[in-house]
Amino acid sequence: MGCFLTLKDDFMEKKISFNEIKLSTLREYLQRKNLKRTATTYKHFDKPLSNNIRCKIINEIIQNNNYVSSYRHLPFIEFPIVFQKYNRKKRKYNKTRIISLPSHHDAFLYKIYSKILYKSYEYYLTQNKLSEIPIAYRTGHSNITGARDAIDNIASQTSWVIKGDFSHFFDNLNHDVLMKNVKKVIESIDGGEFTDDWRSILKNLMDYRYIKLDDIINNPTYNLKNRTSYVKDLKELDNLIANNQLKVSRKHKVGIPQGTALSAILANVYMVEFDEWIRKYLQRFNGFYRRYSDDFIIVIPDQEFSIEKIREIEKTIIAKSRNNLFLTIKESKTRLYYFDKNRREIFLLSSGSNTLDKSELNYLGFSFNGIAVNLRPKTIYKFHYKGKKAVNSLAENMWIYKQTQKGMYNTEDENLNNWQKFVKESANKGYSIPKRKLYTQMYLVTKPIKRKNFLSYAWNAQKIFSQSNEKYEVNILKSALKQVGYLQRKFSEDKRNKE
């Protein structure tokens, strides 16, 4: 499987045809290392695709314009997952998210078409001078750079700030708007044509239907053991559906599922006209605008605006979102701030009155009080809470491990939970102490380990915020190190208590 020539990273700066973007992307996926990254292994109605099958699909797309539009897409499989959220008032609480899994074949098609659309979108942004506005899901951009740019802009001048979000963003994307904007992006490129394959794959994702995982695994008519898929073939799936043994949901009329390879880029493409409108609208005020998926921030230099004027701007933006995007920006959740550069203070405009109360701005995981940037309190609390739990668990693991090696851990297995049994077994077999390396790197070392611990994130944020900055203090790394110091002391205390 050979390598093909691909477009250079700076192709967005050059005039290029849509066919070049499509063919270069397909050929990139024919490279072994890229093809390997597209593999999916979860159980579904079809079997995981081999490299050879994926190569055949790519070649079919290159040679046959009707391949995707004539392909039979399968229902998604849907199930809930429960994960923990952290709140200073509520502390830890559970939140449920619905996961929608596409078939292996559909997932592969989504990855291919998402890459083609991503390159087309980047080209569109460059040509329309919008490259700095959307932050999420883009190479070279992150929540750190987005927060830094916004706070830099705020701190440079006395200004008003509007911060808000679109309610239930992915669930409420209007299908007509989405189809129109994908068409607009594709057709903005030389030779770009919104062909049947695009209509087919978008209709499949927008109208997606699903079967609940519980209905599959609780179906008594067939045995799931030792299968690589939930059905032997598509004929069996058809029979189960025809006999009402599996129920397929109705088509969705609004929204798209989160988590597919196409979802993120479609969310950005959905916003192209709105992003362009806001940029032009704010030019009259010399305003600044950034959007991170469904979160946005607007900074307007104070031009002796009255409170009524800034509320009028807010209402104009909310109305535009409602009328053109069919998305809701809740006024009750939108925050209006005022930054006084001379006093270096931030004030929150009360929603029920025209009073300004001293406050701090939280944006994309960081907090700015007018003087310094820090990690958002919620981010610190989450690390603090999870760290306490981890070091306590590590202290217990080490105690069980050492006691077992000494022959002094005599608790019967029936009185142990599964994890304690695993630690005991590891000691008897001479394996390393479970979780010791992981928890030490994540919570106890005072140096950053790239992509492995919180300090790496804090160190990177400290570096980015500190670049050529004289407008405010940056205390990000300091607060992270303070938490690590606390966890080190807590770990020592937990070990002593076990002795």
Side-chain angles (χ1 to χ4, degrees), residues 57 91 219 477:
I57 291 171
R91 292 189 172 269
N219 192 305
L477 189 57

Side-chain angles (χ1 to χ4, degrees), residues 24 88 99 102 110 128 172 219 226 233 273 276 306 349 375 383 385 458 491:
S24 73
R88 273 205 155 189
I99 301 297
Y110 292 160
N128 290 277
N172 288 311
N219 192 305
N226 301 319
D233 50 38
E273 289 188 346
E276 196 163 0
S306 64
L349 180 61
L375 290 165
F383 177 72
Y385 180 90
F491 179 55

Side-chain angles (χ1 to χ4, degrees), residues 254-268:
V254 66
I256 62 173
Q258 293 188 54
T260 76
L262 256 176
S263 301
I265 183 59
L266 287 178
N268 270 341

Side-chain angles (χ1 to χ4, degrees), residues 323-372:
N323 297 333
N324 291 67
L325 292 179
F326 305 98
L327 293 177
T328 300
I329 301 173
K330 286 189 177 179
E331 222 170 321
S332 59
K333 289 190 175 181
T334 304
R335 298 288 180 264
L336 300 179
Y337 296 92
Y338 182 76
F339 173 66
D340 189 322
K341 184 181 179 183
N342 294 327
R343 295 169 60 179
R344 299 182 72 190
E345 291 180 334
I346 284 187
F347 300 89
L348 176 65
L349 180 61
S350 173
S351 58
S353 67
N354 288 343
T355 59
L356 289 166
D357 301 312
K358 192 173 179 180
S359 183
E360 60 183 35
L361 172 75
N362 290 321
Y363 184 59
L364 300 183
F366 300 94
S367 176
F368 179 55
N369 62 6
I371 298 173

Side-chain angles (χ1 to χ4, degrees), residues 60-72:
E60 282 282 359
I61 294 172
I62 292 173
Q63 297 166 20
N64 180 5
N65 289 331
N66 296 320
Y67 173 76
V68 175
S69 59
S70 62
Y71 173 75
R72 176 190 173 182

Side-chain angles (χ1 to χ4, degrees), residues 442 448-454 456-457:
M442 288 179 66
I449 302 175
K450 190 174 183 180
R451 296 180 182 175
K452 289 190 177 180
N453 66 0
F454 184 63
S456 175
Y457 172 77

Side-chain angles (χ1 to χ4, degrees), residues 1-4 27-36 50-56 58-59:
M1 204 180 303
C3 296
F4 294 79
R27 287 167 176 167
E28 282 174 11
Y29 275 122
L30 284 174
Q31 295 179 37
R32 185 178 295 276
K33 63 177 182 179
N34 294 329
L35 198 63
K36 190 175 181 180
S50 68
N51 281 354
N52 285 338
I53 290 176
R54 278 175 280 159
C55 278
K56 287 179 181 178
I58 292 172
N59 285 316

Side-chain angles (χ1 to χ4, degrees), residues 203-363:
K203 287 289 287 181
N204 167 248
L205 189 66
M206 293 187 302
D207 298 344
Y208 78 100
R209 306 175 74 187
Y210 65 85
I211 295 173
K212 291 183 178 180
L213 179 60
D214 282 347
D215 292 346
I216 299 171
I217 61 179
N218 293 328
N219 192 305
T221 61
Y222 60 100
N223 183 4
L224 298 178
K225 291 182 179 179
N226 301 319
R227 283 191 179 182
T228 56
S229 62
Y230 287 118
V231 291
K232 287 184 294 186
D233 50 38
L234 296 187
K235 184 177 180 180
E236 182 183 5
L237 176 63
D238 290 339
N239 289 334
L240 289 168
I241 294 172
N243 295 328
N244 290 322
Q245 291 172 307
L246 290 179
K247 293 182 179 179
V248 184
S249 72
R250 293 180 179 179
K251 291 182 180 180
H252 281 67
K253 300 299 183 184
V254 66
I256 62 173
Q258 293 188 54
T260 76
L262 256 176
S263 301
I265 183 59
L266 287 178
N268 270 341
V269 169
Y270 187 89
M271 300 296 293
V272 290
E273 289 188 346
F274 183 81
D275 289 345
E276 196 163 0
W277 174 82
I278 285 232
R279 181 179 64 83
K280 291 178 180 176
Y281 175 67
L282 293 177
Q283 281 177 350
R284 71 188 73 175
F285 310 117
N286 195 27
F288 169 98
Y289 166 60
R290 293 290 184 272
R291 180 180 58 79
Y292 190 95
S293 191
D294 57 346
D295 289 313
F296 68 88
I297 192 166
I298 292 167
V299 184
I300 301 175
D302 180 25
Q303 301 165 10
E304 299 184 354
F305 277 176
S306 64
I307 289 175
E308 288 73 22
K309 179 62 178 177
I310 201 67
R311 288 199 190 279
E312 179 188 324
I313 293 172
E314 174 197 19
K315 288 179 180 178
T316 300
I317 292 167
I318 290 174
K320 185 71 175 179
S321 171
R322 181 178 61 248
N323 297 333
N324 291 67
L325 292 179
F326 305 98
L327 293 177
T328 300
I329 301 173
K330 286 189 177 179
E331 222 170 321
S332 59
K333 289 190 175 181
T334 304
R335 298 288 180 264
L336 300 179
Y337 296 92
Y338 182 76
F339 173 66
D340 189 322
K341 184 181 179 183
N342 294 327
R343 295 169 60 179
R344 299 182 72 190
E345 291 180 334
I346 284 187
F347 300 89
L348 176 65
L349 180 61
S350 173
S351 58
S353 67
N354 288 343
T355 59
L356 289 166
D357 301 312
K358 192 173 179 180
S359 183
E360 60 183 35
L361 172 75
N362 290 321
Y363 184 59

